[in-house]
Amino acid sequence: MSITPVVGREVELAALEAFLDRVPSGPVAILVTGEAGIGKTTVWHSAVEAARGRGYSVLVTRPSEAESGLPYAALGDLLADIDEGDFASLPVAQRRAIEVALLRAEPGVEPLEQRMIGVGLLAILRRNAARNPVLIAVDDAQWLDEPSANVLRFAVRRLADGALGILASVRTDRGHPDVVGFSPAVPPVMVETLGVTALTLADVDHLLHDRLGVGLPGVTLRRVHDLSGGNPFFALEIGRALIRQGALSAGLGLPVPDTLRELVLERLYHLPGPVRDVLRVVAALGRPTFGTVRAALGGDPRIDAAIGRAEDAGVIELDNDHIRFSHPLLASVLHGEAAPDARRRLHRRLAEVVSDPDERARHLALSTIEPDESVALELEAAALRTRARGAPDAAAALADQARKLTPADRPADIARRTIAAAVASLEAGASDRAAELLEPLAASATGPDQARALLILGRVRTYAAGLHSAEPLLEQAAAVAGDDPMLQAAIGRDLTTALTQTGDLRRAEAGARQTVAWAEQTGQDALVAAALVQLAMVEFLLGRGIRSDLLARAAALPLSDEEPSAGGAAAYAPADLVWGAVLKWSDAFDAARSRFEDVRRRAVAAGDETAWSSLLFQAGELELWAGAWDRAQAMADELRMAAERRPPATQQDHAYLVAALLAHRGAMTEARESAIAALAQTDLTGDLRFRIRAHALLGFIDLSVGAAHAGRDHLERAWVLFRDAAYDDPGVIRFVPDLIEARVLAGEAGSATELVGWLEERGRTLDRPYALVAAARSRAVVLGSAGRVEDGLAAIRDALDHQSRLAQPFELARTRLVQGGLLRRAKAKRDARDALAAARVTFEDLGARVWADRATAELGRIGGRAPTTTGLTPTEARVAHLAAEGYGNLEISERLFISTKTVEAHLTRIYDKLEVRSRGELARRSRSGEFPDVSGGAPG
């Protein structure tokens, strides 16, 4: 269906027609922008009707200024016509979130996570777009209520593909036009801004003929066009003024007011006073209906006639029982024209008659500027209710107004409402506002009120300035909190997190144990689970292994949304995420992946970006260790997108993971830059774990390129930080073998031997394959440096014995590299070539360019190598030789420590280069000496 023509809008309508053509291959978006009255809604409406004519699913909302304070009003509009089956298909948590947000279900005690509503909306959009193209149509998007805007942004930014279009009109005098937040959701090339421009003189003439049935003389028409600037709303209002004043002839002047406001008021004041009284009520209501207007005006029988008169004048439009101004300017001018006292009296009256509790709260908030405990109490209740519905931004505004209206002689109420406003502000991402509210209270309050203020202020500081800035606040909070177990458990949880991450594990352990005790007194499963997880993590870092008993208990606790928290629960790591991490650090990669998958499934269902980001980092590092570097890179890319939505001070995990991948792949300049960025982030966060990681990675980069002295400086710094913090588990940050090698290269075999002893003891005590492999290989390096080659080779055999339990190909290749060097020194050339060729193949398969070059250089130090002149790479030549000798693909893969798929890929290239079709022909070419074994001949 084509768009219905509109006077003077041929260009705009053509652009919208083209936009609708692109929706089936979306997502695409278009912003219709312009000044008030320019005709945005007219062209928007034409596009909406055309989309419906095409069979698109059209989700519409037309918010008004009066309802912009009603949480999820626009979301309710958008989902009004969605099939109930789409709601029923949602996971329970998502369905309940939307039902609570839209007042279809009662909220629980704990606040609903707004992101859960966004996840539910995203699922509905995807489900609908799979059936028919979907158009989200928002008129006057500048009046979107903030909760609706937030969940819409959340969903839109995650729609990577799908038959979806977004059409929004927005006034350009109301800030940035992208109020829906298309960027970075939709690719920039798919977002279009369509400016609605002024009408021409001829178009204005046509409009006046079409809408008012008048034709103006040329001079008058030009004057109307000049005064209106081609704005159709202004032109029509001027035309109406001319009609009212009988000034249509060319010989009369043009008695038009100087401002648009005066022009609109003149039109409104030509209506009788009783009609204007009714219209003031309509303008003040968020969603005016006949019933509400009648109730507000005491059931005056003349109301229906007044509404009819206003409709005849084109001031309002009726949709069944609902009343709407024909243009939002009419409502805003009429409401703003009333005296402040009159407006407050009107809002007080409306608060008595509206049925929606959120709208009642809005009217109460606008009804007074003097302290009033009864109003403050209602606003506080509304803030709690609104926060429970997952609208922290709206809740913050209500709680703040409640605080302002609380009488000065009620300090406890002021403190409670201040904290509520700060918590909601923090949840809404307004950390600066939360700090403004809390800092005076933290300085003036005493006892539990001060403790609560300090607790939330600690979270604000963590968010804005890093963990180290929160510690003194949390310590002070614990000192003044008294014996309230709920409050002390919440403080203890945050303080333990800060101490763990800033590197004071001994104090963190004591804090974790005390927090478990406080939490158990509360009887709240969520607090108990968080405390148990923290204690398990701290004990692991202290070198006591996996506390499966604590983690199993935490994972088994039924977490209910009915459990209240002390001033708003801080996010904590789910038990399965911590369990997966400690399994990863313990080399149980498959078991860790299983735990991570459970976390991934729940995080996706819940839209939990905090858990999702932590998961991406942990899982990405696991795949880096496991040699699945492409998979790790995909996770790093996802982590980058998640990091973009977080404060800069919390983006160190992404910077580190990217740097580690770059370093292993040999992009050393970029790796160093990213590692330095990760290190700089720790200055903001105070996170010691990432500071150690960054120093360790910089040391690995230097060691990889032969800058052992510079690398040692970083590695020694990492070791000092590691031990000062009381870390005693070798699997968390895997840098000690690099430090041992750096010390050996510096001629300090004695101190290197001490580190080998620590690795061996930890490996035996904790039964850790990584530590045992690394310790044995490191001992071989130390022994080799002392000339004890045979003892070194014995240590390598120990390392290879343990290697079967360690799924880390990079570590295996490093072990083979050390083995090859020792064998070369032992004059065992063939075995040396085999070991070094195997190391090089693995490094090449991984993409570890620098390390593959090291293996090649070591091979070059072995005399008697035969060159290859066939165009085969050394690895291909080795595979070709073994295949020609009769080895099968599996045997070749085992011999060279590569996968059978890699062997198959090498053989495909070999056959192509040598133009052979069978292994028999390959064997004949080999016997002719065309490609001698570059690593010393066939295995014997």
Side-chain angles (χ1 to χ4, degrees), residues 394-418:
L398 288 166
D400 197 23
Q401 186 69 0
R403 174 189 68 87
K404 293 175 181 176
L405 295 178
T406 305
D409 60 356
R410 305 179 72 94
D413 294 332
I414 292 173
R416 184 179 66 254
R417 291 161 186 165
T418 300

Side-chain angles (χ1 to χ4, degrees), residues 89-415:
S89 69
L90 293 174
V92 173
Q94 295 175 22
R95 184 171 67 250
R96 171 168 168 71
I98 291 181
E99 288 173 345
V100 169
L102 300 184
L103 296 175
R104 298 179 182 181
E106 289 297 317
V109 176
E110 272 293 274
L112 182 69
E113 291 283 355
Q114 192 172 78
R115 61 176 175 251
M116 184 74 80
I117 305 167
V119 172
L121 175 61
L122 176 61
I124 288 173
L125 293 178
R126 283 175 171 161
R127 184 179 176 88
N128 276 266
R131 293 194 296 261
N132 294 300
V134 173
L135 180 69
I136 297 175
V138 184
D139 187 26
D140 277 327
Q142 71 275 358
W143 301 129
L144 274 172
D145 64 276
E146 194 61 26
S148 292
N150 284 340
V151 298
L152 189 56
R153 292 184 194 110
F154 181 97
V156 167
R157 288 176 181 174
R158 287 156 182 81
L159 277 167
D161 52 50
L164 180 121
I166 305 157
L167 166 66
S169 73
V170 60
R171 281 170 55 178
T172 49
D173 60 342
R174 291 288 172 174
H176 192 279
D178 190 9
V179 292
V180 183
F182 298 139
S183 302
V186 183
V189 295
M190 304 302 286
V191 179
E192 181 181 356
T193 299
L194 176 62
V196 181
T197 57
L199 296 178
T200 65
L201 180 68
D203 290 333
V204 169
D205 186 29
H206 188 173
L207 179 70
L208 294 173
H209 270 288
D210 187 55
R211 297 288 296 277
L212 301 181
V214 299
L216 298 178
V219 174
T220 305
L221 178 62
R222 280 192 292 273
R223 179 67 172 143
V224 170
H225 183 264
D226 290 343
L227 285 171
S228 67
N231 183 301
F233 179 79
F234 297 177
L236 286 169
E237 290 304 307
I238 294 171
R240 290 187 177 100
L242 291 171
I243 292 171
R244 287 194 302 268
Q245 299 177 33
L248 294 177
S249 68
L252 296 177
L254 198 61
V256 176
D258 292 331
T259 67
L260 172 64
R261 179 178 178 277
E262 292 174 3
L263 185 66
V264 172
L265 281 175
E266 181 183 329
R267 177 183 177 189
L268 291 170
Y269 270 81
H270 271 77
L271 294 170
V275 176
R276 294 200 305 275
D277 292 340
V278 171
L279 292 179
R280 287 191 183 93
V281 173
V282 174
L285 284 166
R287 300 211 158 181
T289 64
F290 276 92
T292 310
V293 174
R294 290 190 189 105
L297 294 172
D300 190 321
R302 295 171 295 178
I303 291 173
D304 288 359
I307 290 176
R309 179 77 177 270
E311 183 184 19
D312 292 341
V315 174
I316 60 172
E317 300 167 349
L318 304 181
D319 180 10
N320 295 321
D321 189 44
H322 293 274
I323 308 168
R324 183 183 184 90
F325 277 90
S326 59
H327 197 282
L329 283 171
L330 296 167
S332 61
V333 168
L334 184 62
H335 188 63
E337 170 266 346
D341 286 346
R343 284 201 302 270
R344 285 192 284 271
R345 286 194 300 270
L346 175 58
H347 284 298
R348 176 71 75 154
R349 174 60 181 157
L350 293 176
E352 296 171 358
V353 301
V354 295
S355 58
D356 183 281
D358 294 318
E359 187 166 6
R360 171 178 166 78
R362 184 180 75 87
H363 288 302
L364 282 173
L366 296 170
S367 70
T368 182
I369 58 174
E370 299 296 329
D372 185 323
E373 177 57 22
S374 64
V375 173
L377 191 61
E378 288 213 41
L379 291 174
E380 180 181 26
L384 291 172
R385 185 172 59 249
T386 302
R387 180 169 173 249
R389 288 176 59 198
D393 20 36
L398 288 166
D400 197 23
Q401 186 69 0
R403 174 189 68 87
K404 293 175 181 176
L405 295 178
T406 305
D409 60 356
R410 305 179 72 94
D413 294 332
I414 292 173

Side-chain angles (χ1 to χ4, degrees), residues 528-600:
V528 175
L532 291 170
V533 165
Q534 283 188 319
L535 181 57
M537 171 68 84
V538 172
E539 290 214 28
F540 184 91
L541 298 177
L542 286 167
R544 297 171 191 163
I546 301 177
R547 287 295 307 271
S548 298
D549 55 332
L550 298 177
L551 292 169
R553 184 182 165 200
L557 287 171
L559 305 183
S560 166
D561 66 356
E562 298 301 314
E563 296 184 6
S565 62
Y572 69 94
D576 276 334
L577 179 57
V578 173
W579 209 331
V582 298
L583 286 167
K584 178 189 84 171
W585 295 331
S586 303
D587 308 313
F589 288 1
D590 288 341
R593 287 190 183 99
S594 179
R595 294 284 178 182
F596 289 156
E597 176 57 27
D598 290 341
V599 176
R600 185 201 67 79

Side-chain angles (χ1 to χ4, degrees), residues 814-901:
R814 288 188 68 173
T815 300
R816 288 294 187 189
L817 184 60
V818 174
Q819 181 189 34
L822 291 171
L823 287 168
R824 177 185 60 78
R825 293 168 63 187
K827 309 301 183 184
K829 292 184 179 180
R830 172 184 292 182
D831 291 339
R833 289 192 182 104
D834 283 345
L836 293 170
R840 182 170 61 185
V841 166
T842 301
F843 287 137
E844 287 176 344
D845 286 345
L846 288 170
R849 299 194 303 269
V850 169
W851 286 82
D853 290 345
R854 288 181 63 168
T856 298
E858 192 67 24
L859 273 167
R861 299 176 69 183
I862 302 173
R865 288 185 61 208
T868 176
T869 60
T870 61
L872 301 181
T873 67
T875 300
E876 289 168 348
R878 182 69 179 123
V879 171
H881 183 86
L882 292 173
E885 289 293 308
Y887 287 91
N889 289 2
L890 179 61
E891 293 170 304
I892 295 173
S893 71
E894 291 174 346
R895 184 70 179 173
L896 298 183
F897 301 95
I898 59 178
S899 70
T900 55
K901 287 186 177 180

Side-chain angles (χ1 to χ4, degrees), residues 652-835:
Q652 59 198 4
D653 46 4
H654 169 253
Y656 168 78
L657 185 56
V658 167
L661 279 162
L662 289 168
H664 281 76
R665 283 177 156 155
M668 295 308 186
T669 300
E670 297 91 335
R672 192 183 309 279
E673 290 173 355
S674 194
I676 290 171
L679 185 60
Q681 291 287 352
T682 66
D683 291 334
L684 298 175
T685 64
D687 194 323
L688 184 80
R689 295 171 303 172
F690 277 98
R691 181 169 288 274
I692 296 170
R693 283 187 174 105
H695 278 298
L697 184 56
L698 286 165
F700 170 79
I701 292 168
D702 286 330
L703 197 65
S704 297
V705 298
H709 180 75
R712 184 190 170 190
D713 290 343
H714 283 294
L715 293 163
E716 293 287 3
R717 181 61 178 155
W719 177 247
V720 169
L721 294 171
F722 188 85
R723 297 304 286 165
D724 284 353
Y727 280 90
D728 206 25
D729 191 286
V732 180
I733 308 173
R734 303 188 169 193
F735 69 96
V736 174
D738 295 334
L739 176 56
I740 292 170
E741 184 176 335
R743 285 184 176 181
V744 168
L745 291 172
E748 297 182 7
S751 63
T753 301
E754 293 176 8
L755 287 179
V756 172
W758 178 80
L759 263 181
E760 287 176 336
E761 185 279 324
R762 292 285 76 202
R764 287 194 303 270
T765 300
L766 299 170
D767 189 28
R768 296 288 176 73
Y770 165 76
L772 292 169
V773 168
R777 183 179 73 230
S778 297
R779 185 169 292 282
V781 170
V782 173
L783 291 168
S785 72
R788 298 168 58 185
V789 173
E790 291 301 326
D791 291 339
L793 287 169
I796 285 293
R797 288 192 289 273
D798 288 342
L800 292 172
D801 286 343
H802 294 301
Q803 190 79 49
S804 62
R805 299 170 55 207
L806 183 65
Q808 286 193 242
F810 187 78
E811 291 300 317
L812 172 60
R814 288 188 68 173
T815 300
R816 288 294 187 189
L817 184 60
V818 174
Q819 181 189 34
L822 291 171
L823 287 168
R824 177 185 60 78
R825 293 168 63 187
K827 309 301 183 184
K829 292 184 179 180
R830 172 184 292 182
D831 291 339
R833 289 192 182 104
D834 283 345

